[in-house]
Amino acid sequence: MMTLLTMVTFCMIPRIGFDWLRFREYAHEGDREKLIMLQRQENGWALRHLVCALCAVALVAVMKTCPNLGQPDRLAAVTAVYAVISFCFALVESILSQRIYQLIVSRMEPVKQRSDD
């Protein structure tokens, strides 16, 4: 479990950083379609991290309530750390997605209403 925790952390931090750089690049270019695509990807990642965190919390709860499984306390502790890190990743992905959405909405052109004069 510690190996999984380390691998996820070392893979996700650079990926989130590169997504932030892509966001800044697309914002500078004003490419609305790419921003929308990036927002959808960020929403997907936030959902994945949230599901993984909830599964880890459920696994810790099972380990703590069923002591006859013979699971070591250290495994439960590492799984709980994984859950916290996954929740943090979900939060960061969600914040990035919200920033993208705010930029998209702020750059939308207002719809011109036709006057019947």
Side-chain angles (χ1 to χ4, degrees):
M1 191 65 184
M2 192 65 167
T3 304
L4 176 66
L5 174 66
T6 306
M7 286 175 38
V8 167
T9 303
F10 284 121
C11 289
M12 288 298 122
I13 290 174
R15 192 199 57 75
I16 292 170
F18 288 131
D19 283 347
W20 177 257
L21 291 175
R22 285 195 308 168
F23 162 62
R24 292 182 57 161
E25 178 185 342
Y26 296 159
H28 181 70
E29 292 174 358
D31 194 342
R32 186 170 183 264
E33 295 301 319
K34 287 183 180 178
L35 284 170
I36 291 171
M37 180 186 69
L38 183 62
Q39 184 197 15
R40 287 182 184 150
Q41 290 174 356
E42 291 303 313
N43 286 338
W45 278 107
L47 183 62
R48 284 183 200 106
H49 289 303
L50 186 60
V51 167
C52 288
L54 292 174
C55 288
V57 168
L59 186 60
V60 169
V62 167
M63 282 189 256
K64 290 295 185 178
T65 58
C66 299
N68 58 353
L69 293 176
Q71 298 297 328
D73 288 334
R74 185 170 177 227
L75 179 60
V78 171
T79 306
V81 170
Y82 173 78
V84 169
I85 290 175
S86 290
F87 277 128
C88 290
F89 284 147
L91 176 68
V92 170
E93 300 278 2
S94 176
I95 290 170
L96 180 56
S97 177
Q98 288 175 359
R99 297 280 298 241
I100 295 168
Y101 176 75
Q102 289 172 350
L103 181 72
I104 291 170
V105 169
S106 70
R107 290 190 177 180
M108 288 180 63
E109 294 179 18
V111 177
K112 296 179 183 175
Q113 294 184 0
R114 200 170 64 177
S115 62
D116 293 331
D117 292 281

